[in-house]
Amino acid sequence: MKFTINRSKFTKSLTDVLRAISSRTTIPVLTGVKMTIDQSGLMLSGSDSDISIEIFIPVSDEDNQLEVIKEGGIVLPARIFNEIVRKLSDEKLTIEVGDNFQTSITSAHAAFNINSIDVDNYPNFPVIDSNEVITLPTTLFKQVIQHTVIATSTQESRPILTGVNITIENGQLKAVATDSHRLSQRIIPITVPESLKDKSYKVIIPGKSLTELSKIIEDQDTIEMMVTQNQVLFKAENLYFYSRLLEGYYPDTNRLIPANSATELTINANDLLQATDRASLLSHEGKNNVIKLSISDNHVELSGNSPEIGTVEEELEYIEAKGDSLVISFNPDYLKDALRTFGHQNVIIGFTAPIRPFTVIPADDNTEISQSFIQLITPVRTY
Amino acid sequence: MKFTINRSKFTKSLTDVLRAISSRTTIPVLTGVKMTIDQSGLMLSGSDSDISIEIFIPVSDEDNQLEVIKEGGIVLPARIFNEIVRKLSDEKLTIEVGDNFQTSITSAHAAFNINSIDVDNYPNFPVIDSNEVITLPTTLFKQVIQHTVIATSTQESRPILTGVNITIENGQLKAVATDSHRLSQRIIPITVPESLKDKSYKVIIPGKSLTELSKIIEDQDTIEMMVTQNQVLFKAENLYFYSRLLEGYYPDTNRLIPANSATELTINANDLLQATDRASLLSHEGKNNVIKLSISDNHVELSGNSPEIGTVEEELEYIEAKGDSLVISFNPDYLKDALRTFGHQNVIIGFTAPIRPFTVIPADDNTEISQSFIQLITPVRTY
């Protein structure tokens, strides 16, 4: 195997593939990055068994300055290989596999000679041979990911909750995540080909996989999704992103979302985020990470305290408050995560009772928009 | 105590004072920041016993928008106070001490009420009542710090080597640091008043103090230095920076610097830095962090290796190589630290023998410049 390539272009693709590679794997060959090259181009592959990423660098794109001198393949130790490529000085990079799986990496006057692994030792990637291709709008799907992964669980005690539950049916994609303290749900319309109109798909994709995917996909118009029994493949131009699916039954979350509310507060999400951030300064210092929101006639106030440090109170500016007076306590970090997903939009916060979950939705006259996105937070009982 | 102030200006000064405040102190009151205010302005003080910093915010500078409503003083928990001030939203900040040493911090609608400490419990700062004031050129002195602190020891086994040995006599300031593996020496001319012409000063200032000082001093023309038995005070406009001095005898370093060399390499410091960085990629992976430099007729080469990972070789472009052929091994991190102090300048590296220390000095026809700055590195015996 021998080729020359533009170093910047190569570095960019290598960085993306590295997202799938972990140094803490039980399978040593997976600490490496696999490279295979033929006359059409160079394929970089990386995997940690859960996520596998393949990126193709085509000869046909002249920006890559990819010149294939000899076809072949090799596995290089990923971390050090990445450091080497980054620290070279020339824009042109030559990689050549010599005897005994020794790979030379040369650029300007620097010549590295790195112990590598036979490409035949690298495990095969799952074969996803499906003609059921679901096309997703990239920008909207990235939003879905950002809006829901915040509510996935990070604890392995209930593995199913570390995933996002995605259901595709009737021309829409619904994504739900919950760690049992809070929940995020986002619905987007998608275009399904005639042949799949009557089909439905239910998959639970690990939150970590979706986070990595959202970092790696460029803002191209669409991304293709293909599902098998236990794998999902997201395919974009020159990118193949595989993730393992979580197996098991996802809890029924529909019943968790209250149908109506006794108190409604309309407020700017960013203003409330800043005030919650200030109130959490003191709650973070204490044992109970809890702040209090009080809504009464013409007065909405957020407060927090830490017995050692002191107290904070802040009267909030809001757009509208209606319904019953209410005092409710909750973990400020859950509210902060939820509010961040709304940016500078106005939101409606709906409360049923001080001990019942409350919801945050976009304040929009269009009910299709306001009902397509919901964040739900369980309060904390403080008596 | 009560005052209002511009929040940005206050935050800037508070950040500077925080440099002296450690949360790992055995004296609880020192985790606080002291504030005292009178009609002339606000003084912020912080200390970790080794370093003490005082910053004065004068009423007379209108940018501060400082309005003194009631004179007084208080000690506030520094870390949380800083976080609070940063997260407030309004440009105006009001601080008022109430009953029982409760301090209210208000800005826009947010009101914090923080448990504070009686200002009388804060220890007094050292009194440096010297009329022997040495004036230092700020920019040059900051260079002296940056060029020498890299060679101070970080190990407490020989505490004296954690300091920079500064000697002021005959109209010049000489700074030397060594951790016994390498040495940095910088000499700058200074202007001494007639009354101090015959005096000489020898102080050993902790490297950490000098690093903090160099971060905090603005690029004003000059900074004043005053020395007592065991303290040094650096004084600039509105800033008082105190440091403890290290006590003991600093080793005689003059005899360590070789008088002449058998081999001399003239090379661009940044080019050599990049090549050393590449070579160190592999030496860092092995047990011995050592790279090798070979100088022979028309060929200068840097090489490194790690038995597990592989090898690297790089032929260097240089300006001039003269004298004996040489192969020498050394810790690349020492050379990298030394080369960084020269920026993009050309340097002359002088070697005596493979087992003798080598020197890096600026390549400058003006011997006063080339002899005012020297970095020395001890090689590693590899047989």
Side-chain angles (χ1 to χ4, degrees):
Chain A
M1 187 185 88
K2 184 175 183 182
F3 65 89
T4 63
I5 194 165
N6 176 283
R7 192 167 61 90
S8 312
K9 294 283 173 187
F10 183 76
T11 306
K12 162 95 183 60
S13 299
L14 183 60
T15 308
D16 281 344
V17 171
L18 279 168
R19 294 189 181 283
I21 301 176
S22 164
S23 54
R24 291 183 310 239
T25 167
T26 49
I27 310 167
V29 73
L30 291 187
T31 61
V33 59
K34 176 183 163 191
M35 297 194 288
T36 51
I37 194 160
D38 63 23
Q39 292 306 324
S40 65
L42 172 67
M43 181 73 96
L44 299 177
S45 315
S47 176
D48 68 357
S49 316
D50 284 349
I51 300 173
S52 302
I53 298 175
E54 291 199 302
I55 293 182
F56 185 67
I57 305 176
V59 168
S60 58
D61 182 347
E62 288 182 6
D63 289 349
N64 296 322
Q65 298 176 293
L66 175 58
E67 192 191 340
V68 183
I69 301 160
K70 191 177 171 202
E71 299 188 351
I74 195 74
V75 179
L76 280 171
R79 181 183 53 79
I80 189 89
F81 178 49
N82 182 46
E83 286 182 36
I84 289 169
V85 169
R86 286 179 175 276
K87 294 212 166 165
L88 292 170
S89 61
D90 203 33
E91 259 312 89
K92 194 175 138 183
L93 176 70
T94 303
I95 295 181
E96 180 176 11
V97 179
D99 294 340
N100 298 318
F101 305 110
Q102 290 280 316
T103 303
S104 80
I105 305 156
T106 51
S107 181
H109 294 298
F112 286 83
N113 217 359
I114 301 299
N115 305 331
S116 327
I117 301 171
D118 186 351
V119 73
D120 292 340
N121 292 343
Y122 200 87
N124 290 322
F125 279 9
V127 178
I128 297 190
D129 185 15
S130 173
N131 47 17
E132 297 183 8
V133 175
I134 302 149
T135 303
L136 303 174
T138 309
T139 310
L140 262 186
F141 187 60
K142 277 170 94 163
Q143 266 188 23
V144 169
I145 296 173
Q146 284 153 14
H147 291 174
T148 54
V149 288
I150 58 155
T152 55
S153 171
T154 51
Q155 311 206 321
E156 289 296 331
S157 53
R158 285 183 72 188
I160 204 86
L161 297 187
T162 62
V164 176
N165 186 30
I166 293 180
T167 311
I168 295 173
E169 57 189 359
N170 305 325
Q172 65 178 26
L173 179 150
K174 180 166 112 176
V176 181
T178 178
D179 62 4
S180 79
H181 302 292
R182 50 166 160 192
L183 175 149
S184 297
Q185 176 176 297
R186 180 75 202 270
I187 297 168
I188 58 167
I190 60 167
T191 314
V192 180
E194 200 56 43
S195 62
L196 304 178
K197 272 272 190 298
D198 298 330
K199 289 234 171 196
S200 75
Y201 300 88
K202 286 182 193 295
V203 289
I204 308 163
I205 305 176
K208 182 171 178 296
S209 300
L210 290 171
T211 302
E212 294 300 338
L213 176 67
S214 75
K215 286 181 192 156
I216 207 174
I217 44 177
E218 311 268 343
D219 282 335
Q220 36 211 324
D221 286 350
T222 58
I223 181 168
E224 294 179 345
M225 174 175 164
M226 274 157 274
V227 176
T228 64
Q229 182 80 35
N230 54 11
Q231 289 278 337
V232 59
L233 165 62
F234 293 97
K235 192 168 167 296
E237 199 189 353
N238 297 324
L239 166 73
Y240 300 79
F241 186 102
Y242 301 83
S243 170
R244 166 176 80 87
L245 294 177
L246 292 171
E247 288 175 61
Y249 291 99
Y250 201 86
D252 175 20
T253 50
N254 287 321
R255 61 181 179 78
L256 300 175
I257 300 168
N260 38 45
S261 49
T263 310
E264 268 186 22
L265 175 67
T266 308
I267 192 166
N268 179 274
N270 189 55
D271 288 351
L272 181 57
L273 173 61
Q274 302 304 327
T276 307
D277 198 24
R278 286 188 281 273
S280 70
L281 275 177
L282 294 193
S283 69
H284 285 168
E285 297 293 319
K287 260 179 271 174
N288 300 319
N289 183 19
V290 169
I291 66 168
K292 196 161 75 181
L293 178 71
S294 311
I295 303 176
S296 59
D297 290 347
N298 302 320
H299 189 84
V300 177
E301 189 183 275
L302 210 54
S303 59
N305 79 85
S306 141
E308 297 79 32
I309 307 289
T311 60
V312 50
E313 286 171 9
E314 180 162 356
E315 190 183 339
L316 301 181
E317 288 185 33
Y318 57 93
I319 295 155
E320 191 183 9
K322 58 184 183 189
D324 302 346
S325 289
L326 175 98
V327 177
I328 192 167
S329 298
F330 50 86
N331 181 323
D333 299 334
Y334 293 159
L335 183 61
K336 279 155 68 180
D337 285 347
L339 290 169
R340 273 193 206 98
T341 63
F342 292 96
H344 287 256
Q345 284 182 72
N346 293 333
V347 292
I348 299 171
I349 312 185
F351 305 89
T352 321
I355 54 159
R356 304 281 302 159
F358 61 95
T359 56
V360 188
I361 62 169
D364 201 301
D365 291 337
N366 181 332
T367 51
E368 201 171 316
I369 292 177
S370 69
Q371 295 192 349
S372 70
F373 182 25
I374 188 162
Q375 299 276 10
L376 178 142
I377 294 165
T378 304
V380 175
R381 215 183 269 247
T382 53
Y383 52 86
Chain B
M1 185 184 90
K2 183 173 182 183
F3 65 90
T4 63
I5 195 165
N6 176 285
R7 192 167 62 91
S8 312
K9 293 284 172 185
F10 183 76
T11 306
K12 162 99 185 56
S13 299
L14 183 60
T15 308
D16 282 345
V17 170
L18 277 169
R19 294 190 181 283
I21 302 177
S22 165
S23 53
R24 290 185 310 241
T25 167
T26 50
I27 309 167
V29 73
L30 291 187
T31 61
V33 59
K34 176 182 161 190
M35 297 194 288
T36 50
I37 194 159
D38 63 21
Q39 292 305 325
S40 65
L42 171 68
M43 182 73 97
L44 298 177
S45 315
S47 175
D48 68 356
S49 316
D50 285 350
I51 300 173
S52 303
I53 297 175
E54 289 198 305
I55 292 182
F56 185 67
I57 304 176
V59 168
S60 58
D61 182 347
E62 288 180 9
D63 289 348
N64 296 324
Q65 299 175 291
L66 176 58
E67 192 192 338
V68 183
I69 301 160
K70 190 175 171 202
E71 300 191 349
I74 196 72
V75 179
L76 279 172
R79 181 184 52 79
I80 189 88
F81 178 50
N82 181 46
E83 287 182 36
I84 290 170
V85 169
R86 287 181 174 275
K87 295 213 166 164
L88 292 170
S89 60
D90 203 34
E91 259 312 89
K92 192 175 141 185
L93 178 70
T94 304
I95 296 180
E96 178 175 10
V97 179
D99 293 340
N100 297 317
F101 305 111
Q102 290 280 313
T103 304
S104 80
I105 304 156
T106 50
S107 181
H109 293 298
F112 285 83
N113 216 1
I114 300 297
N115 304 329
S116 327
I117 301 171
D118 186 353
V119 72
D120 291 340
N121 291 344
Y122 200 88
N124 290 323
F125 279 11
V127 176
I128 298 191
D129 185 19
S130 173
N131 47 15
E132 298 183 9
V133 176
I134 302 148
T135 303
L136 304 174
T138 308
T139 310
L140 262 186
F141 187 59
K142 277 171 94 163
Q143 264 187 26
V144 169
I145 295 173
Q146 283 152 15
H147 290 174
T148 55
V149 287
I150 57 156
T152 55
S153 172
T154 51
Q155 312 206 319
E156 288 297 331
S157 54
R158 285 184 72 188
I160 204 86
L161 297 187
T162 63
V164 176
N165 186 30
I166 292 180
T167 312
I168 294 172
E169 59 189 356
N170 305 326
Q172 63 178 26
L173 178 150
K174 180 167 111 175
V176 182
T178 178
D179 62 5
S180 79
H181 302 291
R182 51 169 159 188
L183 175 149
S184 295
Q185 176 177 296
R186 181 74 203 271
I187 296 167
I188 58 167
I190 59 168
T191 315
V192 180
E194 201 57 45
S195 61
L196 304 177
K197 272 272 192 300
D198 298 332
K199 290 235 171 196
S200 75
Y201 301 87
K202 286 182 194 294
V203 288
I204 308 162
I205 305 177
K208 182 171 177 297
S209 300
L210 290 172
T211 302
E212 294 301 337
L213 175 67
S214 75
K215 286 179 192 158
I216 207 172
I217 43 177
E218 311 269 342
D219 283 335
Q220 37 210 326
D221 285 352
T222 58
I223 181 168
E224 294 180 343
M225 175 174 160
M226 275 157 273
V227 176
T228 63
Q229 183 79 34
N230 55 12
Q231 289 278 338
V232 59
L233 165 63
F234 293 97
K235 191 168 168 300
E237 200 190 352
N238 297 325
L239 168 73
Y240 300 79
F241 186 103
Y242 301 83
S243 171
R244 167 177 78 89
L245 295 176
L246 292 170
E247 288 173 62
Y249 290 100
Y250 201 87
D252 176 18
T253 51
N254 286 322
R255 58 179 182 79
L256 300 175
I257 300 168
N260 39 44
S261 50
T263 312
E264 267 185 23
L265 175 66
T266 308
I267 192 166
N268 178 274
N270 189 54
D271 288 352
L272 181 56
L273 172 61
Q274 303 304 327
T276 308
D277 197 24
R278 285 188 280 273
S280 68
L281 273 178
L282 293 193
S283 69
H284 284 168
E285 298 291 318
K287 260 178 272 179
N288 302 317
N289 183 18
V290 169
I291 65 169
K292 195 161 76 180
L293 177 72
S294 311
I295 302 175
S296 60
D297 290 347
N298 301 320
H299 189 83
V300 177
E301 188 183 276
L302 210 54
S303 59
N305 79 84
S306 141
E308 296 81 31
I309 307 288
T311 61
V312 50
E313 287 172 7
E314 179 160 357
E315 190 183 339
L316 301 181
E317 288 184 36
Y318 56 93
I319 295 155
E320 191 183 12
K322 58 186 184 188
D324 302 346
S325 289
L326 175 98
V327 177
I328 191 166
S329 299
F330 50 85
N331 180 325
D333 300 333
Y334 294 159
L335 183 61
K336 279 155 67 180
D337 285 347
L339 289 169
R340 275 194 205 97
T341 63
F342 292 97
H344 287 256
Q345 283 183 73
N346 292 331
V347 292
I348 299 171
I349 310 186
F351 305 89
T352 321
I355 54 159
R356 303 283 301 159
F358 61 93
T359 56
V360 187
I361 62 169
D364 201 301
D365 290 338
N366 181 331
T367 52
E368 200 171 313
I369 291 175
S370 69
Q371 295 190 351
S372 70
F373 183 25
I374 189 164
Q375 299 277 8
L376 178 142
I377 294 164
T378 305
V380 175
R381 215 184 266 248
T382 52
Y383 52 84

